Amino acid sequence: MSVVGYQYAVDNLCPACTIGRLRANGIKVARGRDHEEAVRRAAEQVGIDFSDEHTYDSSSFPKAITRQMARTELIELPNGEPGEIADERCDRCGKWLRLGEKSPTKAGLTRWVRDEHELPQALAREIAETLREWGLSHPAFIDESNVKEAAAQHPHAWLSYRFVDYPSSTETKPIHEPDDTDDECLYCGQAWQAQQHQTA
């Protein structure tokens, strides 16, 4: 099982922050080694049986977090829906343990939402902020349904596309009022009637 981080006292830490915390606590950790080997050797120096986590407490020495163990419960999803991310962040530096990187800034997430889903800047900004509030702060954990659900939380212009002279042409043009009231908005996935009720 691949180790992606460590539980040390009350914190979940990435490998680099774990080694930094060990050194800050006066425990020597070899440089230039794989983090698993380095932590294991550090454990031997202080008389810890690192292979048996039941023989020591995380307050005295780090315990391994494997890829399978890294989980973040999402508690802010709309309508109280249960949710989970198969990763968790380092409590010191903010990196996701499995991804090995931080979430983008607010501006970075807004750009990703705008470009990936072809949204107006103002709506993308509101969607990005809502996604962050839900705990979905990294593109790796965001799918199209999340973006549309977030879009439905904010007033916006209805948009769809209509074929021009179909089937003789595959050209499309944007439309802001539907041919049918059941037509869905590309931004939020809501039908015309539902969106008009939501924005009224």
Side-chain angles (χ1 to χ4, degrees), residues 20-195:
R21 180 76 59 83
L22 284 168
R23 288 177 177 149
N25 290 342
I27 300 174
K28 293 183 179 180
V29 184
R31 299 182 184 277
R33 294 185 181 274
D34 171 78
H35 68 86
E36 291 186 58
E37 181 184 355
V39 171
R40 187 175 294 107
R41 291 201 174 192
E44 292 173 358
Q45 293 174 25
V46 294
I48 296 287
D49 182 0
F50 188 71
S51 63
D52 186 356
E53 65 174 24
H54 301 293
T55 62
Y56 68 97
D57 189 87
S58 66
S59 61
S60 58
F61 199 84
K63 292 188 176 187
I65 298 173
T66 65
R67 292 181 65 85
Q68 293 77 11
M69 294 165 63
R71 294 278 186 260
T72 300
E73 182 182 4
L74 300 177
I75 59 175
E76 299 295 338
L77 292 177
N79 303 319
E81 300 171 6
E84 187 179 71
I85 291 174
D87 206 341
E88 61 185 306
R89 281 191 280 197
C90 173
D91 290 321
R92 185 178 181 189
C93 72
K95 283 184 180 179
W96 291 94
L97 301 184
R98 293 180 66 170
L99 285 177
E101 63 186 36
K102 296 180 181 180
S103 291
T105 62
K106 289 182 180 181
L109 187 61
T110 294
R111 285 193 298 272
W112 178 83
V113 169
R114 180 196 66 198
D115 297 344
E116 182 72 14
H117 297 276
E118 299 181 353
L119 292 164
Q121 175 72 17
L123 180 57
R125 185 184 305 111
E126 292 178 320
I127 290 171
E129 184 59 32
T130 297
L131 291 170
R132 286 169 62 93
E133 290 171 1
W134 292 349
L136 299 170
S137 62
H138 195 290
F141 312 129
I142 299 169
D143 60 32
E144 185 177 10
S145 66
N146 300 138
V147 173
K148 287 189 173 183
E149 190 171 17
Q153 310 291 318
H154 304 284
H156 58 275
W158 190 92
L159 175 70
S160 188
Y161 283 89
R162 177 188 297 146
F163 281 107
V164 178
D165 299 325
Y166 185 80
S168 60
S169 171
T170 59
E171 181 185 356
T172 61
K173 66 176 182 178
I175 60 171
H176 297 284
E177 290 190 12
D179 295 322
D180 188 299
T181 54
D182 289 331
D183 286 349
E184 293 183 349
C185 174
L186 290 180
Y187 295 152
C188 66
Q190 289 190 326
W192 168 264
Q193 288 179 323
Q195 193 199 24

